[in-house]
Amino acid sequence: MKKVVSFQCILCVFITLFLFPVLAGAEQVILAYDEYPPLNYTENGKAQGLMVDWVREAGKRLGVKTVFIARPFIRAMEESKFRGVDGILTVVKTKERQEYLYFPSISYAFDGPVLFAHSQSGVTVNSLEDTRGLVVGVIRGYSYGGDVLETLTGELRVVKDGDTLYKMIAERRFDLGLGYKQTGAFYLNKIKDGDQVEAVLALPEVSLHLAFSKKLGPHGQELAENFAREIEQIMNERKQIQ
């Protein structure tokens, strides 16, 4: 009986000294993402995509558990202001967003804004100023770098997400749609008549970041920098393997 009690005491001491501190010290971050394939999207109820994969692996290397939750882009941005989420995937850096988000100093992911049109529409543009008199679809809350939205002279029609944007271009419900190269290729390969949509004007690429809420305090900046550094390393490693 004494031996059993002694063993139980030793076991309790071991759990208290070693296991509990590990569990208590494990950091977790809740990261929001919108549907931005192939970088981040939902498939079979789970977060998938290149960016999700990079962030998940970076979290493992940093000892940080990453929890991904799907959110419409506008909602994700609002939740980051009030610590509803700790960070957001694939965000373009803007002056306004820097007021409530920490962005890393390292750039590792890029995509290019593109004006798309139906191939049978006869619409051609050589600059953003050429959109005057045309209806242009844009995604709610998105930034396209610089002063792109301000330079567009056409009539803007806001849609809720990328899936809606590309479907409406294919259905010729507006003259042009302002999307992104990678997401455009992904969606147009899947939707009806997607092969009838073409890029008519490519714009300069922008950096896409994993940004963290300033509600985290200085630690948010540390997380932004640490994840960016690890993601860059992961990408370099995989390039070497290829």
Side-chain angles (χ1 to χ4, degrees):
M1 183 67 178
K2 290 182 179 179
K3 291 184 178 179
V4 174
V5 173
S6 297
F7 175 77
Q8 290 175 336
C9 289
I10 293 172
L11 182 60
C12 288
V13 171
F14 175 83
I15 291 174
T16 302
L17 293 177
F18 297 98
L19 184 57
F20 282 0
V22 171
L23 294 176
E27 183 176 8
Q28 173 178 290
V29 291
I30 300 175
L31 305 174
Y33 69 93
D34 74 317
E35 300 299 311
Y36 194 101
L39 296 182
N40 35 259
Y41 59 97
T42 305
E43 187 172 71
N44 299 323
K46 296 182 179 180
Q48 305 287 348
L50 293 171
M51 181 70 84
V52 171
D53 184 38
W54 297 333
V55 172
R56 186 179 284 127
E57 176 60 26
K60 290 179 181 178
R61 298 186 182 192
L62 293 168
V64 179
K65 181 180 180 182
T66 51
V67 178
F68 300 92
I69 56 173
R71 291 283 188 270
F73 187 75
I74 287 293
R75 180 178 172 185
M77 298 297 280
E78 288 299 315
E79 288 189 10
S80 72
K81 296 178 183 179
F82 305 103
R83 189 71 191 282
V85 297
D86 298 311
I88 310 178
L89 276 64
T90 55
V91 182
V92 176
K93 183 178 180 179
T94 69
K95 183 177 181 180
E96 178 187 356
R97 292 171 183 175
Q98 285 180 275
E99 295 178 2
Y100 54 90
L101 290 173
Y102 286 117
F103 287 86
S105 58
I106 301 172
S107 297
Y108 48 83
F110 304 88
D111 201 358
V114 173
L115 277 172
F116 294 93
H118 195 283
S119 59
Q120 297 179 21
S121 68
V123 174
T124 58
V125 293
N126 296 313
S127 69
L128 296 175
E129 290 81 358
D130 290 344
T131 59
R132 185 178 302 278
L134 301 174
V135 176
V136 184
V138 298
I139 301 172
R140 188 187 314 274
Y142 269 31
S143 171
Y144 299 90
D147 57 353
V148 169
L149 290 176
E150 292 75 18
T151 307
L152 282 168
T153 54
E155 177 187 348
L156 301 187
R157 297 280 178 85
V158 179
V159 300
K160 64 179 182 177
D161 55 29
D163 182 52
T164 304
L165 177 76
Y166 298 107
K167 285 179 179 178
M168 292 183 72
I169 301 171
E171 293 168 2
R172 300 180 67 175
R173 295 174 63 180
F174 33 60
D175 303 304
L176 294 163
L178 181 57
Y180 275 91
K181 181 179 180 179
Q182 293 186 55
T183 54
F186 185 94
Y187 280 119
L188 294 174
N189 190 49
K190 291 179 174 293
I191 65 174
K192 180 181 178 182
D193 295 328
D195 59 345
Q196 297 299 306
V197 177
E198 59 186 11
V200 295
L201 181 66
L203 302 173
E205 287 190 335
V206 296
S207 300
L208 304 174
H209 301 279
L210 167 59
F212 283 87
S213 172
K214 286 196 171 180
K215 291 294 183 180
L216 294 169
H219 185 51
Q221 185 68 69
E222 293 177 5
L223 287 170
E225 295 294 347
N226 290 342
F227 268 89
R229 185 186 66 249
E230 292 297 332
I231 291 172
E232 185 179 50
Q233 179 63 32
I234 291 165
M235 294 175 69
N236 289 334
E237 290 172 0
R238 294 182 179 179
K239 286 179 182 178
Q240 292 173 7
I241 293 174
Q242 294 174 355

